[in-house]
Amino acid sequence: MAMKNFIFILAMALFLISCSNANHTQLTNQEKTMIQSEISPIVEQIKTNAEAGNVEKVCAPNLNSPDFIAIENGQIMDYNQFWKALKKEFEVTKSQKFNEHSVRFSYLNRKNVIVTWTGTNSFTLHNGREGKYDPFTASFVFVKKGGTWNVVY
């Protein structure tokens, strides 16, 4: 009987600890609003500089580390590979325009946020060909390191 009580008390203690840890990472609406206000201008910077064809400024928020991963046209790339692939794309693109439909923030915790941007992307290549991705969706995983938000995915 004593062993059953011990197991029950241990199970309850573990349950309560796991519940308190889950609540520990929940963000208040004020925290979410603050994080969104810090990240939204970065997403806008990426979009605006992609429209301008400025690869350096598009990649500026990306974390130049082994933790960075990008998926482009079905290929998994590190920071340098992504930078080179984006530069090649911009070299053949005369212009492009993004129209935003929605932006969704998923808060994993105070320092890790997934941003999903949905809209359209219309583009013209230097050879005169035009195209449109409708819908167009981009996902970013932001991590806050040293007080700065960076894209790691």
Side-chain angles (χ1 to χ4, degrees):
M1 187 73 135
M3 185 59 120
K4 286 183 182 178
N5 286 342
F6 174 74
I7 292 173
F8 176 76
I9 292 171
L10 180 62
M12 289 303 294
L14 290 173
F15 175 75
L16 292 173
I17 289 170
S18 68
C19 289
S20 67
N21 284 343
N23 290 334
H24 211 69
T25 60
Q26 289 183 349
L27 277 68
T28 65
N29 287 336
Q30 184 178 2
E31 288 173 313
K32 290 178 181 180
T33 300
M34 184 180 76
I35 290 169
Q36 188 172 340
S37 73
E38 293 171 352
I39 293 176
S40 289
I42 300 169
V43 174
E44 184 63 27
Q45 169 193 336
I46 293 168
K47 181 180 79 85
T48 301
N49 286 301
E51 289 176 339
N54 189 329
V55 69
E56 291 85 6
K57 289 186 179 179
V58 168
C59 290
N62 295 346
L63 187 64
N64 187 357
S65 91
D67 295 332
F68 179 85
I69 296 172
I71 298 176
E72 181 78 16
N73 296 324
Q75 294 182 339
I76 298 172
M77 300 179 197
D78 64 18
Y79 177 88
N80 291 324
Q81 291 167 326
F82 178 68
W83 200 95
K84 289 175 187 174
L86 199 57
K87 186 174 183 198
K88 283 174 91 174
E89 287 179 23
F90 286 179
E91 287 171 354
V92 298
T93 304
K94 182 178 179 181
S95 65
Q96 65 179 330
K97 177 71 178 155
F98 295 92
N99 290 306
E100 180 180 301
H101 293 164
S102 68
V103 179
R104 180 178 175 185
F105 288 77
S106 301
Y107 305 90
L108 304 178
N109 56 44
R110 287 173 181 81
K111 295 186 185 238
N112 297 279
V113 177
I114 300 170
V115 177
T116 306
W117 187 98
T118 304
T120 62
N121 174 15
S122 302
F123 59 90
T124 302
L125 303 178
H126 285 292
N127 66 10
R129 289 183 54 200
E130 295 182 348
K132 184 175 187 175
Y133 293 106
D134 185 5
F136 177 84
T137 301
S139 292
F140 306 95
V141 176
F142 281 87
V143 63
K144 192 168 191 177
K145 287 189 175 190
T148 303
W149 287 103
N150 294 105
V151 177
V152 293
Y153 181 89

